[in-house]
Amino acid sequence: MEQFAKPGDFCPNEACPDYGKLQDGQTQRNIRKYGKTRASVQRYQCQTCHRTFTGTTGTIFFRKRTPEHEILETLALLAEGSRISSLSRAKGFKEDTILAWLREAAQHAEALEEVLMKDFKIKRGQLDALWAYVRNKGEKKLP
Ligand SMILES: [Zn+2]
């Protein structure tokens, strides 16, 4: 099992010397709370690189072997209606892996929606359909 960090547990900036360092067991913690977003999501700041991030940013990607962009792109293609089986063939990920990303993504929906809508031009309705698909445990087919 891969380990999943709690929100605000580590710096998600790959260029930071403290990237991925968990806060537990550190005498000098590098992450501190830094206000909230408009949607009342807790924001954090890394004291080492001064990057701010929300609690859920990066959490889904923590200790994943696949680069963040690849996972986001896969999620975007799913939202656009690609089937898991065809994505699995095209990209070489196991169907189980894609499903696991999808389930995890749904738990961090709020943080991921911003990125998917802004960077991947995914529409609100497509995201709603995607999360509904996950909630139905994959019983229903994506539109
Ligand atoms: Zn940092």
Side-chain angles (χ1 to χ4, degrees), residues 26-78:
Q26 281 200 69
T27 44
Q28 189 103 49
R29 297 182 168 215
N30 60 304
I31 308 295
R32 67 157 197 211
K33 287 187 177 172
Y34 195 75
K36 293 195 171 168
T37 67
R38 265 182 299 164
S40 295
V41 178
Q42 181 66 55
R43 190 187 280 126
Y44 298 88
Q45 187 185 37
C46 172
Q47 299 304 288
T48 309
C49 64
H50 301 290
R51 174 81 65 92
T52 62
F53 56 95
T54 55
T56 41
T57 318
T59 316
I60 181 176
F61 309 109
F62 189 63
R63 290 188 188 170
K64 293 262 190 292
R65 268 161 299 182
T66 312
E68 179 172 320
H69 186 268
E70 279 282 308
I71 300 181
L72 284 171
E73 192 184 63
T74 305
L75 293 171
L77 288 167
L78 285 170

Side-chain angles (χ1 to χ4, degrees), residues 42-135:
Q42 181 66 55
R43 190 187 280 126
Y44 298 88
Q45 187 185 37
C46 172
Q47 299 304 288
T48 309
C49 64
H50 301 290
R51 174 81 65 92
T52 62
F53 56 95
T54 55
T56 41
T57 318
T59 316
I60 181 176
F61 309 109
F62 189 63
R63 290 188 188 170
K64 293 262 190 292
R65 268 161 299 182
T66 312
E68 179 172 320
H69 186 268
E70 279 282 308
I71 300 181
L72 284 171
E73 192 184 63
T74 305
L75 293 171
L77 288 167
L78 285 170
E80 284 171 342
S82 293
R83 285 164 186 277
I84 289 178
S85 54
S86 29
L87 276 176
S88 172
R89 272 195 305 275
K91 288 182 158 287
F93 304 128
K94 286 186 185 144
E95 289 189 27
D96 284 351
T97 304
I98 297 176
L99 262 175
W101 290 342
L102 197 49
R103 282 200 203 97
E104 217 179 315
Q107 287 169 19
H108 302 290
E110 198 177 3
L112 290 175
E113 279 176 356
E114 216 177 292
V115 181
L116 288 170
M117 289 197 285
K118 221 191 313 171
D119 297 354
F120 293 89
K121 313 284 177 233
I122 300 300
K123 294 186 187 72
R124 173 86 258 162
Q126 293 175 312
L127 285 170
D128 288 343
L130 188 66
W131 307 140
Y133 169 78
V134 182
R135 277 194 297 275

